[in-house]
């Protein structure tokens, strides 16, 4: 069995003591940033990125991935105990998790979400193992046209499915693509938009951009708002044990959530947040008594939690097998691989089997670590929530500065973080989602390269993108998504205009 | 709630349109090339125009929409950014310990913290920074002004 051999190879890589240590450090740190509202997985991963330069590629990616899925576990803790989502994808868990905690069932809720997270992650993992090599094989038949269309689909999906308006998301993607243009053009050697600054001829530093957009902006916003000096009840281990009846009610939502999350996560542009929201909506639809939702329905936390963890695993499918990141975290992860000289794409699985299968097996190990880490140490996480943010944010700022400095040993990068931090904060204030911007920034150079190559091969005939069947299908999906986004925006703005007219009539 | 236009989208959309215009205009100084052989200016100019249109699409409908006033935490933003800039300027001149201590003090200005707690937090940050970066990660950085 080839699959078994691969898994065995992965187990050997992931089972090395030093890799295990990095994996543990990753999931531990992920849980911490997940628990603490205000610092997301993105900020934590960008903060760690410079540290990985001194590691082996496998250890680096295993640690960063650990932060990513670890944060999904920790995110539910703050949602349940404080009604504050630690990560965006656990916002749904607040809806029923916090009412459960108020009823004195916080322990039960924490236990159930941990188990649901494990179940989701494991089913996502199975999908990842089965489908990544298959998709990579298809990917080998991809030409520049297919890659271009796939990236366009991913970018449009990521921007039109964000929380805000699709037009704003698209703005962010295109702005990100343009920021990706800064630096030397590979084809002609011309330094574009570099303003004769030597540092800018290499382009905008990825670490500086990610830290400015997510680290600095989040810190500035949270300085006053994230003070959590509230009373938190003690959660004992005994209070966590569900009764047999309670356990029985969680099995089906867990299965549905896992399946939905695993399927959605594999699509480019659909992250854990969307998977969690859809899982919640579905549970509400199939429930016999939908009115219980929002008042502490246990299905309302199990399904979204298993969905977001399943999606967090399958998000690696397009990233690793095609080299096209589905969301901003995956984009940074691919950035880390590229820095290590590894080109993500369909060849990755065959050229770097140790890295690929090692990463996969580390998911299994890391998720089990998380359950062991989360259940007995719940008291520690509750205590962590009591630390005032003011004690931490100065350290975060200094670490951001030194982290980005360590990439090139150049203070120019710290100044860029300051500038990009102002930009990130401005975007946050104006309610523009920065994640699609980062995705655009990473994909920009690749997108341009494939577009150029595609049109060079067809001698400038743009029809090449619609005459090749795979490419045409991908573009058709993109078009459908755009039409839907335009339609919903138009409908919304007509409604808003009517509201404004009514309000003005009332006030005059 | 005071009824205002949706200023968030109005301002944001116009800013994006301006950025698009800038990229398109500045990008047109590079060779444009043909569709078959794109020059370095092709992609930026096309994308700049797309961003310009998208920005207007965000800004225009916002005029007919209700919204809330924009809230900016100027003090938090200003001091955090000042702390970063100061840290960058001081790092190689004063060394890691004084630079991080001072940056921490600057960052804490907007926070209502007692003086003693403030000094303890700054000292801990300076200590931790020195332990992690120059000592733990072996980064070549001066610790003190006299070691610079």
């Amino acid at each position: 069995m080839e699959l078994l051999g691969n898994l065995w190879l992965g187990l050997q890589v992931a089972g090395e003591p030093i890799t295990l240590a990095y994996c543990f450090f990753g999931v531990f740190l992920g849980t911490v940033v997940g628990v603490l509202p205000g610092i997301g997985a993105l900020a934590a991963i960008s903060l760690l990125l410079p540290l990985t330069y001194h590691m082996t590629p496998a250890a680096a990616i295993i640690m960063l991935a650990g932060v990513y899925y670890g944060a999904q576990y920790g995110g539910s803790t703050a949602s349940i105990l404080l009604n504050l989502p630690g990560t965006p994808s656990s916002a749904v868990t607040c809806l029923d998790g916090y009412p459960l905690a108020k009823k004195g069932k916080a322990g039960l809720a924490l236990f159930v979400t941990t188990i649901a997270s494990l179940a989701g992650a494991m089913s996502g993992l199975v999908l990842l193992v089965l489908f990544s090599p298959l998709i990579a094989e298809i990917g080998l038949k991809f030409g520049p046209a297919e890659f271009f269309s796939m990236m366009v689909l991913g970018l449009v999906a990521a921007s039109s499915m964000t929380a805000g308006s699709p037009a704003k998301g698209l703005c962010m993607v295109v702005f990100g693509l343009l920021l990706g243009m800064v630096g030397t053009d590979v084809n002609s050697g011309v330094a574009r938009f570099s303003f004769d600054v030597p540092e800018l001829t290499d382009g905008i530093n990825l670490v500086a951009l990610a830290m400015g957009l997510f680290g600095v902006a989040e810190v500035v916003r949270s300085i006053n708002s994230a003070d959590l000096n509230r009373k938190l009840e003690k959660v004992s281990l005994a209070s966590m044990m569900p009764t047999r009846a309670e356990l029985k009610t969680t099995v089906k939502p867990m299965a549905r959530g896992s399946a939905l999350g695993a399927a959605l996560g594999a699509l480019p542009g659909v992250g854990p947040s969307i998977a969690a929201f859809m899982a919640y909506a579905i549970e509400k639809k199939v429930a016999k008594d939908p009115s219980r939702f929002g008042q502490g329905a246990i299905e309302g936390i199990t399904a979204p939690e298993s969905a977001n963890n399943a999606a967090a695993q399958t998000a690696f499918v397009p990233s690793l097998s095609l080299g096209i990141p589905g969301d901003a975290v995956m984009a940074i992860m691919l950035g880390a691989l590229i820095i290590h000289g590894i080109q993500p794409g369909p060849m990755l699985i065959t050229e770097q089997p140790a890295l690929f299968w090692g990463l996969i097996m580390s998911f299994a190990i890391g998720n089990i670590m998380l359950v062991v880490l989360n259940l007995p140490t719940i008291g520690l996480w509750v205590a962590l929530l009591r630390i005032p943010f003011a004690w931490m944010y100065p350290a975060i700022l200094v670490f951001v500065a030194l982290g980005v400095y360590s990439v090139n040993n150049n203070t120019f990068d710290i100044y860029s973080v300051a500038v990009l931090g102002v930009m990130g904060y401005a975007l946050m204030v104006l309610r523009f989602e920065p994640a699609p911007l980062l995705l655009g920034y990473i994909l920009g150079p690749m997108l341009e390269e494939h577009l150029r190559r595609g049109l060079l091969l067809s001698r400038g005939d743009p029809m090449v993108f619609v005459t090749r069947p795979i490419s045409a299908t991908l573009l058709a999906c993109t078009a459908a998504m755009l039409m839907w986004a335009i339609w919903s925006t138009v409908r919304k703005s007509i409604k808003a205009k009517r509201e404004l007219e009514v309000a003005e009539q009332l006030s005059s | 709630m005071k009824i205002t236009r949706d200023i968030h989208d109005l301002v944001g959309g116009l800013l994006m349109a301006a950025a698009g215009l800038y990229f398109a205009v500045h990008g047109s100084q590079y060779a444009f090339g043909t569709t078959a052989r794109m020059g370095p200016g092709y992609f930026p100019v096309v994308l700049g125009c797309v961003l310009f249109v998208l920005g207007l699409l965000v800004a225009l409908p916002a005029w007919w929409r209700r919204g809330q006033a924009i809230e900016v935490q100027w003090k938090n933003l200003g001091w955090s950014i000042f702390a970063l800039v100061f840290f960058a300027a001081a790092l190689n001149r004063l060394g890691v310990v004084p630079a991080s201590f001072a940056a921490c003090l600057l960052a804490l200005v907007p926070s209502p913290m007692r003086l003693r707690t403030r000094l303890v937090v700054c000292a801990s940050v300076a200590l931790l920074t020195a332990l992690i970066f120059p000592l733990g990660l072996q980064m070549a950085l001066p610790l003190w002004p006299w070691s610079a």
Side-chain angles (χ1 to χ4, degrees):
Chain A
M1 280 289 282
E2 199 194 341
L3 185 63
L4 282 180
N6 286 331
L7 291 177
W8 176 239
L9 171 72
L11 200 61
Q12 280 171 317
V13 175
E16 268 179 69
I18 182 80
T19 320
L20 276 179
Y22 280 127
C23 182
F24 179 78
F25 179 69
V27 295
F28 179 80
L29 196 80
T31 316
V32 172
V33 300
V35 169
L36 293 172
I39 326 163
L42 250 174
I45 291 174
S46 21
L47 208 70
L48 281 179
L49 197 51
L51 299 188
T52 63
Y53 294 177
H54 314 288
M55 302 178 177
T56 63
I61 200 87
I62 282 173
M63 183 179 80
L64 295 180
V67 176
Y68 180 51
Y69 58 79
Q72 312 292 341
Y73 277 75
S76 57
T77 307
S79 301
I80 290 167
L81 294 175
L82 289 173
N83 205 18
L84 276 173
T87 51
S89 56
S90 50
V92 199
T93 308
C94 290
L95 298 177
D96 280 288
Y98 189 59
L100 273 170
K102 279 211 289 203
K103 285 184 195 163
K105 287 190 172 176
L108 172 75
L110 288 167
F111 179 83
V112 167
T113 51
T114 306
I115 298 304
S117 299
L118 181 69
M122 287 304 170
S123 28
L125 191 57
V126 172
L127 206 75
L128 181 60
V129 167
L130 293 179
F131 285 94
S132 279
L134 215 70
I135 292 177
E137 227 162 87
I138 299 169
L140 285 175
K141 298 194 180 82
F142 273 29
E146 282 79 16
F147 272 112
F148 174 80
S149 307
M150 184 80 201
M151 282 182 211
V152 172
L153 174 65
L155 287 172
V156 169
S159 56
S160 58
M161 285 190 171
T162 47
S165 83
K168 286 167 99 169
L170 282 174
C171 265
M172 285 292 88
V173 161
V174 178
F175 190 50
L177 288 170
L178 281 166
L179 289 183
M181 298 295 108
V182 175
T184 309
D185 171 38
V186 270
N187 286 40
S188 58
V190 175
R192 293 186 286 189
F193 307 103
S194 66
F195 311 104
D196 295 323
V197 179
E199 283 90 352
L200 277 182
T201 51
D202 286 340
I204 296 171
N205 185 336
L206 165 68
V207 184
L209 183 68
M211 284 194 189
L213 287 181
F214 300 99
V216 176
E218 297 267 352
V219 163
V220 171
R221 185 185 55 177
S222 313
I223 286 179
N224 303 125
S225 61
D227 235 350
L228 308 167
N229 267 329
R230 290 191 230 169
K231 272 192 190 153
L232 288 169
E233 57 171 320
K234 283 229 167 79
V235 181
S236 69
L237 262 179
S239 74
M240 291 179 131
M241 285 303 131
T243 62
R244 187 167 284 220
E246 282 167 336
L247 207 60
K248 224 177 140 190
T249 53
T250 60
V251 173
K252 271 189 192 166
M254 224 180 263
R256 278 192 291 260
S258 303
L260 182 79
L264 285 179
L267 300 176
V270 188
S273 313
I274 293 162
F277 271 101
M278 287 185 66
Y280 189 81
I282 286 182
E283 282 313 309
K284 220 171 155 177
K285 276 257 159 67
V286 300
K288 278 185 199 129
D289 177 17
S291 66
R292 284 185 308 120
F293 280 80
Q295 290 163 359
I298 205 138
E299 305 97 295
I301 55 173
T302 35
E305 279 299 319
S306 37
N308 71 25
N309 281 276
Q313 303 297 339
T314 51
F316 283 90
V317 171
S319 312
L320 291 174
S321 51
L322 292 177
I324 297 169
D327 66 4
V329 180
M330 286 302 130
I332 294 198
M333 219 84 85
L334 291 193
L337 281 180
I338 294 170
I339 287 165
H340 279 284
I342 291 172
Q343 194 57 49
M347 298 298 284
L348 178 93
I349 300 176
T350 40
E351 278 178 359
Q352 304 275 350
L355 178 101
F356 178 79
W357 295 104
L359 179 63
I360 299 238
M361 287 318 284
S362 85
F363 290 159
I365 297 171
N367 276 292
I368 292 165
M369 277 183 190
L370 276 165
V371 173
V372 177
L373 191 71
N374 264 272
L375 291 180
T377 52
I378 190 72
L380 178 70
W381 307 121
V382 177
L384 195 66
L385 281 172
R386 291 204 182 92
I387 302 176
F389 191 64
W391 294 10
M392 291 187 291
Y393 80 80
I396 298 176
L397 282 178
V398 171
F399 290 178
V400 160
L402 267 181
V404 77
Y405 176 84
S406 71
V407 180
N408 298 319
N409 284 329
N410 194 336
T411 45
F412 176 82
D413 290 333
I414 308 184
Y415 293 115
S416 357
V417 168
V419 173
L420 294 165
V422 174
M423 187 180 90
Y425 182 71
L427 292 178
M428 190 179 273
V429 162
L430 295 171
R431 294 176 195 159
F432 278 79
E433 200 82 37
L437 191 161
L438 192 67
L439 198 56
Y441 167 81
I442 302 254
L443 286 180
M446 286 192 242
L447 192 72
E448 184 182 14
E449 187 55 38
H450 286 297
L451 178 67
R452 273 183 181 176
R453 237 185 268 165
L455 286 171
L456 186 69
L457 290 177
S458 75
R459 290 167 206 209
D461 181 11
M463 290 309 283
V464 66
F465 296 105
V466 286
T467 45
R468 293 177 64 112
I470 299 178
S471 170
T473 316
L474 293 169
L475 285 181
C477 293
T478 314
M481 218 175 274
L482 275 178
M483 296 306 277
W484 185 77
I486 293 169
W487 163 240
S488 68
T489 313
V490 169
R491 216 176 39 183
K492 243 187 256 167
S493 63
I494 292 172
K495 214 172 130 195
K497 190 183 168 189
R498 235 177 256 147
E499 261 173 37
L500 184 71
E501 277 162 5
V502 173
E504 272 172 351
Q505 272 170 9
L506 283 177
S507 61
S508 64
Chain B
M1 191 185 77
K2 198 172 159 266
I3 298 163
T4 57
R5 307 290 178 179
D6 190 345
I7 325 175
H8 288 95
D9 282 14
L10 205 58
V11 173
L14 289 177
L15 279 176
M16 282 298 138
L21 200 61
Y22 170 77
F23 272 101
V25 170
H26 189 98
S28 60
Q29 76 179 56
Y30 308 118
F32 194 74
T34 62
T35 313
R37 283 190 184 276
M38 288 184 204
Y42 195 106
F43 211 46
V45 169
V46 171
L47 282 181
C49 296
V50 171
L51 184 58
F52 177 73
V53 173
L54 279 174
L56 290 184
L57 282 181
V58 171
L60 289 180
W63 185 253
W64 293 285
R65 225 179 8 234
R66 296 167 62 183
Q68 296 145 358
I70 299 177
E71 270 176 58
V72 184
Q73 296 157 305
W74 291 110
K75 232 172 116 186
N76 294 352
L77 178 69
W79 286 106
S80 301
I81 298 300
F82 185 44
L84 279 175
V85 171
F86 178 85
F87 184 80
L91 184 60
N92 280 311
R93 299 196 186 109
L94 297 180
V96 171
V97 177
S100 41
F101 188 86
C104 181
L105 267 184
L106 290 174
L108 277 173
V109 169
S111 151
M113 197 186 271
R114 301 233 307 274
L115 184 66
R116 246 181 57 201
T117 333
R118 204 174 279 251
L119 291 178
V120 171
V121 169
C122 293
S124 333
V125 170
L127 180 73
L128 264 178
T129 313
L131 282 180
I132 296 175
F133 291 92
L135 300 173
L137 294 172
Q138 302 285 313
M139 274 168 68
L141 281 168
L143 277 180
W144 302 99
W146 51 87
S147 46

